[in-house]
Amino acid sequence: MKKVSLIFPVYNVAFCVENSLLSALSQTYENIEYVIIDDRGEDDSMKIVYRSCNNYPQKNIKIIDHGVNKGLGATRNTGIKYASGDYILFMDSDDILEKTAIQQFIDSLDDDYDMVVGSYVRKVQTKEYPLHLKNEVLDREILYHYLVGKKYYPQVWNKLYKLSFIKENSLSFIEKCNHEDNPFTFYFSACNPKVRILATITYQWIFRTESVTSVYREKNVEDLLSGYKFMCDVARKFSISDLYVIRYLNNFRLFPLWLLLKRIVISKQENTLLMGLMEPVSSFESINQLRMPFKEKLKFMIFYLPFSLKKMILKIISCTQNV
């Protein structure tokens, strides 16, 4: 029986952690190792966690104390470090895992997959928005299927990962970063894993309007810049110069650019952030050799101009953009 390590971070979630954790502890699949990381919040989250775990003495539960708050990326890296299962599954501590979720993931392992992706429902107050993926197997051009085909989503929760694949490829999360999912999934996909996708809903994403992904501040722009640079480094590492990757990276950095240029986010280090976000995705020669209309090439060529000039041009363009 395959062993699954369920990685469960805890930080200031006293208002919802009990229901979330109980949905994990009540899974119908038995061979689960629960890796709970205390990321040193300031509320009673961990008291609730200990109380809930005491009701399941038969479960294999590890509670790791971070000592100090390190953020979600570091928490997930800690989970990977302490996991001993054949597979790992990340879960956010304010979401709900369907009772048969892990059993359905395991039942889908009819071959040697590096990742199994489940469908989910996004819950916003009283409304539900299900995302049903297509039942299929992806075994080549995975980055293309992810970026262009939109075959699966960037969030790392609700996915069963083969732990050996993560370790063999030295995969980890950017630490002290609130937007670590996109870079991780980009890197994972660039390693060309074998992927199984399920149409069955296995997860409830409880969307909260006060979450870090729904309210943007200076820290968010800094983190998006870190993600952009990380993915550019991955593209260089694997010598990826495909047009669809260049387009994705170029588009990824436009959102934080508009936030700054439209003054939605005001930062004392605006020019430093802008300089990082305005770095060219690839060399001028590489862009020039790509087969695309000249009008589209201009979108990339802007970023080779002197800083003050491209800032002025992009500021004018930003006035036409919705954020």
Side-chain angles (χ1 to χ4, degrees), residues 14-25:
F15 63 98
C16 61
V17 69
E18 184 171 21
N19 286 339
S20 183
L21 182 56
L22 290 179
S23 76
L25 291 169

Side-chain angles (χ1 to χ4, degrees), residues 163-192:
L163 183 56
S164 60
F165 185 87
I166 286 178
K167 291 187 173 181
E168 286 165 7
N169 289 283
S170 301
L171 288 157
S172 63
F173 291 87
I174 304 175
E175 301 197 354
K176 298 180 180 178
C177 176
N178 287 330
H179 300 279
E180 70 290 326
D181 285 21
N182 267 292
F184 182 89
T185 305
F186 183 92
Y187 193 177
F188 186 91
S189 302
C191 293
N192 212 34

Side-chain angles (χ1 to χ4, degrees), residues 120 168 215:
Y120 66 83
E168 286 165 7
V215 181

Side-chain angles (χ1 to χ4, degrees), residues 98 118-133 153 155 157-158 199 201-209:
E98 296 291 349
S119 297
Y120 66 83
V121 59
R122 181 168 67 102
K123 292 194 171 184
V124 184
Q125 296 178 341
T126 59
K127 296 182 179 180
E128 296 188 357
Y129 304 90
L131 175 70
H132 287 283
L133 302 174
Y153 42 85
Q155 294 92 335
W157 39 248
N158 198 34
I201 287 179
T202 49
Y203 196 87
Q204 297 177 29
W205 175 19
I206 312 300
F207 189 81
R208 304 182 191 282
T209 55

Side-chain angles (χ1 to χ4, degrees), residues 292-306:
M292 66 175 112
F294 180 72
K295 186 176 180 180
E296 184 176 1
K297 279 189 180 181
L298 286 176
K299 296 178 183 178
F300 296 93
M301 297 304 182
I302 289 172
F303 294 95
Y304 298 98
L305 297 172

Side-chain angles (χ1 to χ4, degrees), residues 74-266:
T75 301
R76 286 170 171 166
N77 287 337
T78 297
I80 293 171
K81 177 182 177 181
Y82 284 93
S84 63
D86 302 294
Y87 294 87
I88 62 174
L89 185 138
F90 298 106
M91 179 179 178
D92 282 357
S93 50
D94 54 353
D95 294 335
I96 300 294
L97 195 62
E98 296 291 349
K99 193 169 185 177
T100 62
I102 294 181
Q103 183 66 63
Q104 292 187 71
F105 282 130
I106 294 297
D107 289 345
S108 72
L109 295 174
D110 54 4
D111 204 345
D112 190 27
Y113 302 115
D114 301 306
M115 178 174 71
V116 181
V117 183
S119 297
Y120 66 83
V121 59
R122 181 168 67 102
K123 292 194 171 184
V124 184
Q125 296 178 341
T126 59
K127 296 182 179 180
E128 296 188 357
Y129 304 90
L131 175 70
H132 287 283
L133 302 174
K134 180 182 177 182
N135 275 314
E136 60 184 316
V137 172
L138 309 176
D139 56 7
R140 53 188 168 77
E141 298 183 322
I142 304 304
L143 196 56
Y144 177 85
H145 286 305
Y146 167 55
L147 297 180
V148 181
K150 309 293 184 185
K151 298 290 187 177
Y152 52 92
Y153 42 85
Q155 294 92 335
V156 300
W157 39 248
N158 198 34
K159 295 172 179 175
L160 194 71
Y161 297 91
K162 184 188 287 184
L163 183 56
S164 60
F165 185 87
I166 286 178
K167 291 187 173 181
E168 286 165 7
N169 289 283
S170 301
L171 288 157
S172 63
F173 291 87
I174 304 175
E175 301 197 354
K176 298 180 180 178
C177 176
N178 287 330
H179 300 279
E180 70 290 326
D181 285 21
N182 267 292
F184 182 89
T185 305
F186 183 92
Y187 193 177
F188 186 91
S189 302
C191 293
N192 212 34
K194 187 171 184 178
V195 179
R196 176 83 159 86
I197 300 177
L198 305 179
T200 308
I201 287 179
T202 49
Y203 196 87
Q204 297 177 29
W205 175 19
I206 312 300
F207 189 81
R208 304 182 191 282
T209 55
E210 70 276 10
S211 71
V212 295
T213 54
S214 61
V215 181
Y216 287 90
R217 302 180 177 89
E218 182 178 10
K219 177 68 166 62
N220 299 89
V221 174
E222 293 171 359
D223 293 344
L224 289 166
L225 172 57
S226 296
Y228 168 66
K229 288 184 173 180
F230 179 91
M231 290 187 287
C232 286
D233 288 342
V234 170
R236 284 190 284 269
K237 175 181 177 179
F238 289 96
S239 299
I240 303 171
S241 58
D242 300 273
L243 178 57
Y244 67 87
V245 175
I246 301 298
R247 281 174 173 158
Y248 174 81
L249 293 174
N250 192 56
N251 290 332
F252 182 89
R253 47 91 170 273
L254 291 180
F255 177 64
L257 266 176
W258 303 150
L259 288 176
L260 289 171
L261 294 172
K262 290 171 73 72
R263 309 296 287 174
I264 294 171
V265 170
I266 298 175

